Amino acid sequence: REIWHMDPSPWRDFTLILLYTGMRAGELCDPDIDVSHLGEGYIIGGLKTEAGRERVIPIHSEIRGIANDFFSGKRHVYETYHKKFKKMFLGHVTHDCRRAFISQAQQCGMDPVASHKITGHVMRDIHYDIYTELPVSYLQSEIEKLHW
């Protein structure tokens, strides 16, 4: 929660978005991310794996204003955020936010299938990976369980 007490800045906002979405830092900096659904409370994006690309990423209500400002303003390249992050949070890297999201999702009772879909991970179970389609509204309700 101490991050909420930091002065507002692009660096703080970048970190909050990572914590509340479980995104990889590189995904957040991707210029091809689809923010056309931001007004509806989600974005579409992702990199790295088949399960991770073109996924729905719900935006928590606590950071919607921050996300709107972040995506409508000037975004920096990944390296810029990464360097600033390491200076702000000594001993940490941006990927720690992804680990924290996944740990917090587990602790707050988020549906594990929803957590996997939001982060772009596979469960290695055809039942969940192939046949389970979760509506955006469900992913949004699950993300609301998270609080920093």
Side-chain angles (χ1 to χ4, degrees), residues 39-82:
E40 299 162 60
Y42 68 98
I43 57 177
I44 297 175
L47 302 168
K48 196 171 176 183
T49 66
E50 185 177 332
R53 288 189 286 276
E54 302 282 320
R55 71 182 188 272
V56 170
I57 304 165
I59 304 298
H60 195 289
S61 61
E62 290 181 2
I63 63 159
R64 285 213 183 124
I66 289 169
N68 282 325
D69 292 345
F70 181 84
F71 287 115
S72 64
K74 178 183 185 250
R75 283 190 275 163
H76 301 279
V77 295
Y78 167 76
E79 290 77 16
T80 304
Y81 284 112
H82 187 72

Side-chain angles (χ1 to χ4, degrees), residues 11-25:
W11 322 112
R12 181 207 69 166
D13 296 351
F14 174 80
T15 305
L16 281 168
I17 294 169
L18 292 178
L19 286 169
Y20 274 91
T21 63
M23 294 175 73
R24 294 174 181 91

Side-chain angles (χ1 to χ4, degrees), residues 10 12 19 26 37 45 90 101 112 119 124 128 139 144 146-147:
R12 181 207 69 166
L19 286 169
H37 302 281
L90 296 175
F101 172 90
T119 56
R124 305 218 188 285
Y128 297 114
L139 296 176
E144 291 297 323
L146 219 67
H147 294 285

